[in-house]
Amino acid sequence: MNRRWILYGTAACHLCEQARDLLVLAGVESAWIDIALDDTLVERLGDKIPVVGCRVTGRELGWPFDLQQLQRFLQSCEED
């Protein structure tokens, strides 16, 4: 499944669950990547999760964000 959007997080992360809920509210499907399975991702994203990433542009939005901020991010990535 090659979705445009990726949600990076870890299992049992309540903030990651909130981010997933915001993606659903925004009408966006995303792939899930558990950063705990990759030391490089832990080093790069560990203090920012949850992080929404765009496969096409490589841009990322780290927590904290609300629905409006997420929607602006998604739209800006669509325009690139």
Side-chain angles (χ1 to χ4, degrees), residues 10 35-49:
T10 59
I35 68 165
L37 305 175
D38 184 323
D39 291 341
T40 303
L41 289 177
V42 169
E43 187 175 318
R44 185 168 67 85
L45 301 174
D47 62 344
K48 299 177 193 173
I49 63 166

Side-chain angles (χ1 to χ4, degrees), residues 3-4 7 12 20 22 28 36 46 55 58 62 65 74 78-80:
R3 294 186 177 125
R4 179 182 186 105
L7 177 58
R20 190 173 317 180
L22 290 175
V28 171
R55 290 185 195 270
F65 54 83
L74 297 171
E78 292 285 348
E79 294 170 354
D80 287 343

Side-chain angles (χ1 to χ4, degrees), residues 3-71:
R3 294 186 177 125
R4 179 182 186 105
W5 306 105
I6 306 165
L7 177 58
Y8 296 95
T10 59
C13 166
H14 73 283
L15 297 176
C16 299
E17 292 172 18
Q18 290 177 17
R20 190 173 317 180
D21 291 344
L22 290 175
L23 284 164
V24 169
L25 286 173
V28 171
E29 289 188 32
S30 64
W32 166 256
I33 295 182
D34 188 333
I35 68 165
L37 305 175
D38 184 323
D39 291 341
T40 303
L41 289 177
V42 169
E43 187 175 318
R44 185 168 67 85
L45 301 174
D47 62 344
K48 299 177 193 173
I49 63 166
V51 173
V52 176
C54 177
R55 290 185 195 270
V56 176
T57 65
R59 293 180 61 205
E60 296 175 338
L61 175 65
W63 195 262
F65 54 83
D66 61 21
L67 181 58
Q68 289 179 332
Q69 291 167 318
L70 175 61
Q71 288 171 324

